[in-house]
Amino acid sequence: EMKYVMFSLDCELGWGLYDQRGRNPAAIRMETNSDLGRDAYRSLLTMFDTFDIPATWAFVGHLFLDMCSHGSHHSNDRIDDIDPYSALESEPFYYGRDVVDAISESIVDHEIAGHGFSHSYFDELSKIGAREELSELVGAAENMNIDIKSFVYPRNRSGFETLLPEFDI
């Protein structure tokens, strides 16, 4: 009898912790040392690869970038409040192309899934905002030759499920 376990990881770095600043000790530690998140991802990747275990890594789309500037993607209040509009070297807490590359280049066939573009909560977005989040996510992934087929809602706050097929998710 075959048994299965599914591993799905939300990969957010700073995008998932913005509302935890000053309250959550883990968020405070990660914000002051962005290597903590990267070290955790790399440790998990090593373990999964060692035991030949595929996992689903649901990335916030902004982490597919290594840099951006104001106006380089659709504007929404969340992005404008959080995005440092800089680069991986200066603000590694908000960029994660290096982590995505490590997972993409893994010897195990991991899935790279979506987790919104800016970790916006879909139950608070307009339909236009939800479409922009999905469009930016898919576009950023495509720039890395990644095809997003699965989606994990930020904080499990779902909405606009009917839009997912428009993006082949």
Side-chain angles (χ1 to χ4, degrees):
E1 177 179 322
M2 182 85 57
K3 296 189 181 200
Y4 296 93
V5 173
M6 183 179 100
F7 290 96
S8 176
L9 303 110
D10 295 352
C11 303
E12 307 164 343
L13 293 176
W15 294 93
L17 297 172
Y18 84 100
D19 57 354
Q20 302 293 309
R21 290 182 180 161
R23 295 188 324 220
N24 181 323
I28 295 167
R29 284 193 306 276
M30 282 187 64
E31 191 166 16
T32 57
N33 182 358
S34 65
D35 286 339
L36 291 175
R38 281 177 166 72
D39 291 346
Y41 295 149
R42 287 189 183 105
S43 293
L44 288 167
L45 181 61
T46 298
M47 180 185 66
F48 291 144
D49 286 354
T50 298
F51 295 101
D52 195 28
I53 299 170
T56 296
W57 303 76
F59 276 91
V60 169
H62 201 279
L63 296 178
F64 292 123
L65 307 177
D66 59 0
M67 64 181 300
C68 74
S69 59
H70 195 41
S72 62
H73 37 67
H74 293 291
S75 179
N76 69 39
D77 291 341
R78 181 175 175 79
I79 289 176
D80 286 337
D81 287 346
I82 300 168
D83 198 336
Y85 297 111
S86 59
L88 175 65
E89 296 78 29
S90 59
E91 294 284 350
F93 202 43
Y94 298 96
Y95 301 87
R97 191 176 196 126
D98 57 321
V99 178
V100 177
D101 282 339
I103 294 163
S104 295
E105 295 165 3
S106 170
I107 59 172
V108 173
D109 188 22
H110 297 287
E111 177 185 20
I112 296 181
H115 196 49
F117 181 75
S118 66
H119 204 265
S120 292
Y121 308 138
F122 276 65
D123 63 341
E124 294 179 356
L125 292 173
S126 67
K127 189 170 188 176
I128 291 170
R131 186 173 274 120
E132 286 179 355
E133 275 284 304
L134 293 168
S135 176
E136 289 294 321
L137 165 69
V138 169
E142 285 175 352
N143 285 337
M144 292 190 72
N145 296 313
I146 294 170
D147 189 21
I148 301 292
K149 290 296 177 194
S150 300
F151 188 80
V152 177
Y153 285 96
R155 299 264 193 274
N156 296 317
R157 293 172 62 177
S158 62
F160 302 104
E161 292 85 354
T162 57
L163 292 179
L164 296 175
E166 285 183 30
F167 298 93
D168 293 324
I169 298 174

